[in-house]
Amino acid sequence: QLTPALTQLSIADMVKSAVVDLEGSARERQVTIEPPTPPLVIAADATLVRRALDNLLANAIKYAPPSSTVEVTATAEEGMVRLEVADCGPGVPDERKAELFTKFGTLDQATISNRRGFGLGLYFVQLVAEAHGGTAGVRDRPGGGAVFALTLAVGR
């Protein structure tokens, strides 16, 4: 369980900083990252949210095909802020989506050749979401790929 230390956090600034830090990986994979532009400011633990975002972006870069774009969006609605990271990769089979956010939940090589890991990155994203009164999830991206979401309660 995580206990967040709340500070004022600019979502756009945090995403821009994460994009700069992951620029080398993105360039190596020939992936472009489109950051959001809305000037959203929330009370959240900047370190925890940033690590969660780093996990989502690193995964998207890792699984995105060369010369594709990873899109980051941020929206505010009814006391919540929703960060979404969308890639054009192989997607996630429906029957495996729920377990991705559990401890050691991952997709093995036999399930889908391009999505593999140790199962702690998305579990951490889930812990950050819960610590901020929110949720984490994944859905299919129209046209192929996956959209990973981190939803946070504003000011919790």
Side-chain angles (χ1 to χ4, degrees):
Q1 187 174 17
L2 300 174
T3 305
L6 303 181
T7 60
Q8 291 300 301
L9 171 63
S10 164
I11 297 295
D13 289 346
M14 180 192 59
V15 173
K16 287 176 190 172
S17 175
V19 168
V20 168
D21 288 350
L22 293 168
E23 191 174 41
S25 296
R27 187 177 25 245
E28 183 178 298
R29 300 246 331 125
Q30 300 172 5
V31 172
T32 304
I33 303 172
E34 285 186 13
T37 56
L40 298 174
V41 176
I42 63 169
D45 187 307
T47 302
L48 293 178
V49 174
R50 170 62 191 271
R51 276 188 52 202
L53 178 64
D54 285 350
N55 286 344
L56 294 177
L57 281 171
N59 281 344
I61 291 166
K62 180 178 177 181
Y63 300 121
S67 301
S68 67
T69 300
V70 169
E71 296 174 356
V72 183
T73 58
T75 55
E77 53 190 52
E78 298 180 19
M80 305 294 279
V81 168
R82 184 175 183 87
L83 287 168
E84 291 188 330
V85 177
D87 66 51
C88 298
V92 178
D94 288 340
E95 65 275 7
R96 303 300 299 272
K97 286 179 178 151
E99 70 189 69
L100 283 181
F101 294 92
T102 61
K103 194 171 190 179
F104 305 117
T106 187
L107 296 176
D108 59 27
Q109 187 70 23
T111 305
I112 188 164
S113 62
N114 291 354
R115 288 208 185 260
R116 229 173 68 160
F118 296 107
L120 293 175
L122 293 176
Y123 176 64
F124 179 76
V125 171
Q126 178 66 37
L127 292 177
V128 170
E130 290 172 357
H132 289 84
T135 60
V138 61
R139 63 181 168 79
D140 294 332
R141 179 182 185 173
V147 178
F148 285 84
L150 171 63
T151 303
L152 309 168
V154 174
R156 178 162 175 187

